[in-house]
Amino acid sequence: MKFKSMGLVALISFIGAYIFELSGMPVPWMLGSLFAVLISQFFIHYELYWSMKLRNFGLVVVGISIGLSFQFDLLAKMGWLLVFMFLLNVVLVIISIVMAFGVQRIGNLPLKTALTCTIPGGLAQIVVFAEEEKDINLAIVTYFHVVRVISIVFLVPFFLSGHVIQTQGGTAFTIEGILPLALLITAALGSAKIGKIIKLPVPFFLSPVLFVIILKLFSIEVPELPTPLLHAAQLCMGAYIGLLLKPDMIKLGKRVLFLGIGSALLLLTITFGQGVVLTQFLHYSLSTSFLSTAAGGLDQMSLLATAIGADVSVVTVFQIFRLLFVFLIILPLLKVACSYIDRKGTAVNENSH
């Protein structure tokens, strides 16, 4: 059953990617598959399924690619970068909190749910947080963050379509290159398993990035990734993201649906403004700056940076910092805020009796 469903998703993804490539769309293998799978769910009355293992394989391949592209001279500027990264994230979180009060009022939602909806963290981490907290509507939180991820991944390449640099990433498949490539991917998968054990954020992406960077530090030769493999990795990720938005989510109500889309577009506009500020102060290209500030996933933004010719090293460092900022500072603070809201609610209930 699942093999048939996965085969159907693979076929839909390939057709979407092929159409996007023929049409000259940006990042066709990721966006084409994402769009085709997303739309097909609403017309095909058959349960579509995509294995998490395929998504993870795509993440490992993209992680290796990012590690290969990393430029070490960026580390010399880390002082100034840390200041900018901290300020940008603080501003983004303050705006997100203001948005939460708006979502609470317009959507008539509990404050805990509204805050969890608007905090620009990683989809997986936020959903896990929402599951652990009581009185948070998990379906609404998941919808808000899925819409945010999909809108950013899908719209950012079109925002930057005039700033795309044709990259020559990837090589052709060769028989003699299969064994070194297989060893590299196997070792990268092993590093991802270790990353998962030590609870590294996005382990199937971040661990291979760090693994390849360490290999480069010790001047160990790392084989280039073939272009078809990079395309397959993008397709694996696109299919997975496309299936995140389920048709059942439409039942959440018009107000919640529009609030989710509106908050995602507002966040996109704000981070675009931050990207423009970054171009003025640090003189990066608009594509590098916007992908650095966009509140998408670390893996997706780094992949897009590779695909459109942005500075992958800068984008990856900025996105890693944002992920750690949310993971180490914002989520603990959000937990404290939720506890305060719970205590306040309990006190009000006791007084009313």
Side-chain angles (χ1 to χ4, degrees), residues 55-56 59-60 63 122-125 192 195-196 199-210 237 297-300 319-320 323 327:
R55 194 286 304 253
N56 290 342
L59 287 177
V60 167
L123 173 63
Q125 288 88 359
K196 196 173 180 182
K199 300 188 184 303
L200 199 66
V202 202
F204 283 92
F205 173 77
L206 198 50
S207 299
V209 171
L210 298 174
M237 291 177 63
L298 162 65
D299 44 350
Q300 290 100 344
Q319 291 293 341
I320 287 174
L323 182 69
F327 198 71

Side-chain angles (χ1 to χ4, degrees), residues 102-123:
V103 167
Q104 179 201 19
R105 187 169 182 178
I106 298 169
N108 196 25
L109 299 176
L111 181 57
K112 282 171 65 173
T113 297
L115 281 169
T116 313
C117 283
T118 57
I119 290 296
L123 173 63

Side-chain angles (χ1 to χ4, degrees), residues 140-154:
I140 292 176
V141 170
T142 303
Y143 167 72
F144 265 72
H145 286 281
V146 165
V147 167
R148 175 177 60 83
V149 170
I150 289 176
S151 62
I152 288 172
V153 170
F154 196 75

Side-chain angles (χ1 to χ4, degrees), residues 62 66 69-71 74 78 81 85 88-89 152 156 160 205-206 209 275 278 282 284-324:
V62 173
I66 302 302
S69 306
F70 193 85
Q71 301 296 319
L74 179 67
M78 280 306 290
L81 285 183
M85 289 187 286
L88 289 172
N89 281 285
I152 288 172
V156 164
L160 299 175
F205 173 77
L206 198 50
V209 171
L278 213 58
L282 299 181
Y284 294 135
S285 67
L286 182 60
S287 55
T288 297
S289 298
F290 191 18
L291 289 173
S292 296
T293 56
L298 162 65
D299 44 350
Q300 290 100 344
M301 295 303 100
S302 299
L303 189 155
L304 291 177
T306 304
I308 69 172
D311 190 322
V312 180
S313 304
V314 172
V315 172
T316 303
V317 166
F318 267 79
Q319 291 293 341
I320 287 174
F321 184 91
R322 189 177 67 82
L323 182 69
L324 293 175

Side-chain angles (χ1 to χ4, degrees), residues 13-74:
S13 300
F14 183 80
I15 291 170
Y18 187 66
I19 291 171
F20 265 52
E21 186 159 59
L22 286 179
S23 306
M25 297 285 192
V27 202
W29 288 90
M30 184 178 180
L31 298 190
S33 55
L34 189 163
F35 183 75
V37 170
L38 177 64
I39 297 300
S40 64
Q41 288 187 93
F42 295 89
F43 298 99
I44 296 175
H45 300 293
Y46 186 82
E47 186 182 355
L48 298 179
Y49 172 78
W50 194 245
S51 172
M52 180 73 80
K53 290 180 180 178
L54 286 173
R55 194 286 304 253
N56 290 342
F57 171 76
L59 287 177
V60 167
V61 171
V62 173
I64 293 170
S65 174
I66 302 302
L68 285 167
S69 306
F70 193 85
Q71 301 296 319
F72 293 105
D73 58 355
L74 179 67

Side-chain angles (χ1 to χ4, degrees), residues 220-240:
I220 298 171
E221 191 174 341
V222 184
E224 288 289 324
L225 298 180
T227 302
L229 185 62
L230 292 170
H231 288 168
Q234 292 180 29
L235 186 145
C236 286
M237 291 177 63
Y240 176 81

